[in-house]
């Protein structure tokens, strides 16, 4: 995106834009956010290709060099989240991807809606060019954006994060043992973002821990239930405000100690992600960003932030009084 969407009147006063009331968005303000006149495109990627696409947020040009903007964040549909570990080597920083609450299936096809510039591999997102069934809808990006604002009015900001850093999480742990890991980047930096105070952890729908949040981060330390069923599962972490959800994959193994002793700790490194700072079968369904794309069968929306360090959101950001 080229610019932020501000509540101009609240930010700069009632004379900032003559005739514009507080809370109103002018056409010129909206157009400044998305002025590129790209068309909206559709392409199918496998889950593995989609994960590669997320890895390419840590930029390399076609010669392998790091460009002047080393990181460009992609904006995703509201039902797509991922975790990353910035301490892992480049190309292996994405540690989990969750779509509609289900882990990404590397072999499954996912239909993705994006801008034609990105679909052609722009901004070094070359994974798009490996996709199949490319369709250019001919619909202009800024028109879809303007239509969204009109159809969804009054629009409200959503502050849930789609990408959260998780470091030190074990890939495997025995039932009844204690684990600990770091979570950061739980909050947007957008104006008016509510600050989280608590991060709750659930396992198979049951709350097993609560952790204080400070400055958008937390050290999660908890003991897995002694009767936890062995097998592949995931911890579900959620903030008390904004609704940021973090999914941490975990393989639970059977207890090797006597019941009640709770000895031993899990170890390992999550597979897969990072940012500076599943299984679904068949074609998976992913809702488009900020409402419904004007193409009924779009399943994923992916847009790139143009200025590094600004997280994209297609919502009106209002100053809180």
């Amino acid at each position: 995106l080229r610019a932020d969407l501000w509540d101009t009147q609240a930010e700069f006063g009632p004379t900032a834009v003559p005739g514009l009331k507080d809370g109103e968005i002018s056409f010129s303000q909206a157009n400044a956010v998305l002025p590129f006149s790209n068309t909206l495109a559709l392409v199918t990627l496998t889950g593995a290709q989609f994960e590669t696409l997320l890895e390419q947020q840590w930029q390399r040009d076609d010669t392998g060099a790091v460009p002047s903007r080393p990181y460009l964040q992609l904006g995703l549909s509201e039902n797509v989240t991922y975790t990353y570990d910035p301490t892992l080597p480049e190309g292996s920083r994405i540690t989990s991807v969750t779509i509609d609450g289900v882990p990404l299936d590397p072999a499954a096809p996912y239909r993705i809606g994006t801008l034609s510039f990105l679909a052609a591999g722009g901004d070094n997102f070359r994974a798009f060019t490996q996709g199949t069934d490319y369709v250019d809808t001919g619909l202009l990006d800024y028109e879809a954006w303007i239509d969204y604002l009109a159809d969804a009015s009054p629009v409200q900001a959503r502050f849930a994060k789609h990408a959260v850093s998780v470091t030190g999480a074990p890939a495997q742990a025995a039932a009844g043992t204690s684990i600990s890991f770091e979570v950061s980047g739980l909050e947007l930096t957008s104006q008016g973002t509510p600050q989280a105070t608590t991060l709750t952890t659930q396992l198979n729908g049951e709350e097993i821990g609560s952790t204080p949040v400070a400055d958008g981060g937390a050290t999660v330390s908890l003991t897995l239930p002694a009767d936890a069923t062995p097998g592949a599962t995931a911890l579900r972490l959620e903030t008390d405000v904004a609704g940021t959800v973090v999914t941490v994959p975990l393989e639970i193994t059977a207890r090797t100690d006597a019941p009640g002793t709770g000895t031993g700790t899990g170890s390992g490194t999550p597979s897969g992600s990072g940012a500076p700072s599943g299984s679904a079968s068949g074609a998976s369904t992913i809702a488009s960003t900020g409402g419904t794309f004007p193409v009924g069968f779009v399943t994923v929306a992916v847009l790139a932030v143009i200025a590094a360090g600004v997280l994209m959101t297609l919502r009106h950001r209002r100053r809180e009084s």
Side-chain angles (χ1 to χ4, degrees):
L1 301 181
R2 179 53 56 81
D4 293 324
L5 182 60
W6 298 97
D7 186 338
T8 305
Q9 304 302 85
E11 180 71 14
F12 301 110
T15 61
V17 181
L20 193 67
K21 298 177 182 178
D22 185 21
E24 291 182 336
I25 304 169
S26 70
F27 185 96
S28 62
Q29 286 175 309
N31 188 61
V33 173
L34 203 65
F36 309 109
S37 292
N38 288 174
T39 52
L40 300 179
L42 301 168
V43 64
T44 297
L45 297 181
T46 65
Q49 290 169 334
F50 183 68
E51 185 170 330
T52 297
L53 185 74
L54 295 178
E55 293 282 358
Q56 290 175 347
Q57 295 174 120
W58 291 269
Q59 294 270 289
R60 293 278 180 177
D61 63 23
D62 53 8
T63 69
V66 177
S68 58
R69 296 181 298 177
Y71 180 81
L72 291 178
Q73 179 125 35
L74 292 167
L76 302 175
S77 309
E78 61 184 350
N79 57 338
V80 183
T81 61
Y82 67 91
T83 59
Y84 61 89
D85 185 344
T87 67
L88 295 178
E90 183 178 348
S92 61
R93 292 169 177 159
I94 301 297
T95 52
S96 71
V97 183
T98 303
I99 300 172
D100 287 327
V102 177
L104 182 79
D105 182 348
Y110 293 87
R111 194 65 169 157
I112 297 175
T114 187
L115 307 182
S116 56
F117 170 75
L118 289 178
D123 277 341
N124 300 308
F125 289 104
R126 288 177 290 277
F128 271 125
T129 65
Q130 301 170 5
T132 58
D133 300 327
Y134 176 82
V135 174
D136 190 318
T137 68
L139 300 169
L140 291 176
D141 52 5
Y142 86 90
E143 290 181 333
W145 167 226
I146 298 296
D147 288 346
Y148 163 74
L149 290 175
D151 295 343
S153 182
V155 292
Q156 297 291 329
R158 296 182 185 178
F159 297 102
K161 283 291 294 290
H162 292 254
V164 174
S165 172
V166 177
T167 58
Q172 186 181 84
T177 62
S178 297
I179 61 173
S180 180
F181 53 91
E182 301 291 327
V183 180
S184 60
L186 288 166
E187 299 170 355
L188 295 175
T189 57
S190 299
Q191 184 172 279
T193 299
Q195 291 187 323
T197 61
T198 305
L199 186 66
T200 58
T201 302
Q202 291 185 350
L203 177 64
N204 299 326
E206 297 293 329
E207 184 174 330
I208 60 171
S210 180
T211 308
V213 174
D215 297 324
T219 299
V220 178
S221 297
L222 52 85
T223 300
L224 298 174
D227 60 352
T229 302
T233 185
L235 301 174
R236 186 182 189 276
L237 288 65
E238 185 171 1
T239 59
D240 56 337
V241 295
T244 294
V245 174
V246 185
T247 303
V248 180
L250 181 65
E251 177 79 20
I252 296 180
T253 60
R255 298 187 67 179
T256 58
D257 58 316
T261 61
T263 60
T265 58
S267 63
T269 304
S271 61
S273 156
S277 332
S279 231
S281 59
S284 301
T285 300
I286 307 174
S288 58
T289 301
T292 303
F293 255 95
V295 180
F297 54 95
V298 176
T299 54
V300 182
V302 180
L303 300 175
V305 169
I306 302 305
V310 181
L311 183 63
M312 188 205 77
T313 177
L314 296 185
R315 274 111 185 165
H316 186 197
R317 288 166 38 178
R318 297 179 56 93
R319 171 183 286 277
E320 290 191 339
S321 58

